[in-house]
Amino acid sequence: LNTSGDTAGRVAVGAVRFRRSDLPGLSGTLALTDGRVDVGAAWPLLKDAALHAEGRVDLRSGVPLGTLRAWMPRVVIEDEMELAGLLRDAQGIDLSGAVELDATFELLVDRVIPHVVVKAEDVTVGSKQYDTKIEGLTASITLNSLKPFATPSHQRIEVARANVGGLAVKDGVVDFRLESLDAVFIERCEFGWAGGRLYTYALRFDPAEPIDLVVYGEKLSLAELLALIPDDRAAGKGTLYGRLPVTVSWPQLRFGEGFLYGTPGERGWVSLKKDAALLASGLPAGGGQTLAGDVLARLRRRLEAALKDFEYDVFKTDFVREGGALVARVALTGRGPEVRPELPEPTLLGRVFPPRYDVRTLRQEFAPLVLRFPRIDEILSKAIIVKTGIEREAEDASRKGGTP
């Protein structure tokens, strides 16, 4: 502290240690006049911007009274590694975009009244370790309480695009309030996904604990959902809605019982392509050249044709737990493609001739056609789950026959 006289001087701090991080030093001024303290400071935290502070505190009553202000003018962070270089806790996190801070603190006799506003504009933040990237983040968050550490309601974060593991969403909006450091209340959270919207609402959780929520979906595209199945195994057309409970224990997910139904009154189409023959083979084989065997063989052919080209009036998928695993039960009411009906196979002296076909066509009706897909929770987890960098390195090493 270098002073000029007894009441004024300059303050300089060479370095600041914060949570294992060595931050830049700061400098400022301090003046003491008739029991009042005037302060000012500048802290060059970022390459192109400093955190400024100023204020006046009256000490004459024995209780500090006054106003303090801190602010950082709007600055565009272009180097996405700058934050990681500043804070050790932020290593592995890339951040770029515009940020701004304006805070005032009123020091009263019995309390401190804060008004802190943090703004972000077109921010991109990502982590290669957790395979996560958020783009086009815009927010204006107000803090109005220190005890507890809280915000008013209707705080909003908007996101243009986000990728979390295998889940890609867009046009997201999160309305929330912070009730304390261990209580966040989500008023509504929704994102665009699979041609429709995913949302949840009225959710209170502790960020340090597993989170139980219910995810709702509406106007989801069946074509985009089936496109998530690898190897082009299925296709379809139609829109769906539903709900699915999820427990998030980051980065692991656990799914509960829910449903996914076709939009009422809307016809759709689905094709299982590569798996149609396999699913149709689930019918019993029958008794060779008997009437029952002939009927079952024709049913298998019709079922296989239907699974490759099925027009549905009703689409229902129920997610239920069986033996600890989540199973998807799909019930389709509708019809297969137009086919020429097979007439009974004629025989002459014990010889069976090829089947004959009527010139007319028909469509096999199903009411309903029921399919069962086991371990659907594993499929969902593999499609969405976020793997840490350590897990990915272990998997790569395993594929190469080595150790991480």
Side-chain angles (χ1 to χ4, degrees), residues 210-214 244-256:
I211 303 170
D212 294 314
L213 69 153
V214 177
L244 186 65
V246 183
T247 298
V248 182
S249 184
W250 196 258
Q252 303 300 320
L253 305 175
R254 176 178 170 82
F255 302 95

Side-chain angles (χ1 to χ4, degrees), residues 255-276:
F255 302 95
E257 295 188 338
F259 69 88
L260 193 61
Y261 292 171
T263 302
E266 176 187 275
R267 284 186 174 180
W269 167 82
V270 64
S271 171
L272 297 183
K273 297 183 180 180
K274 298 180 180 180
D275 297 315

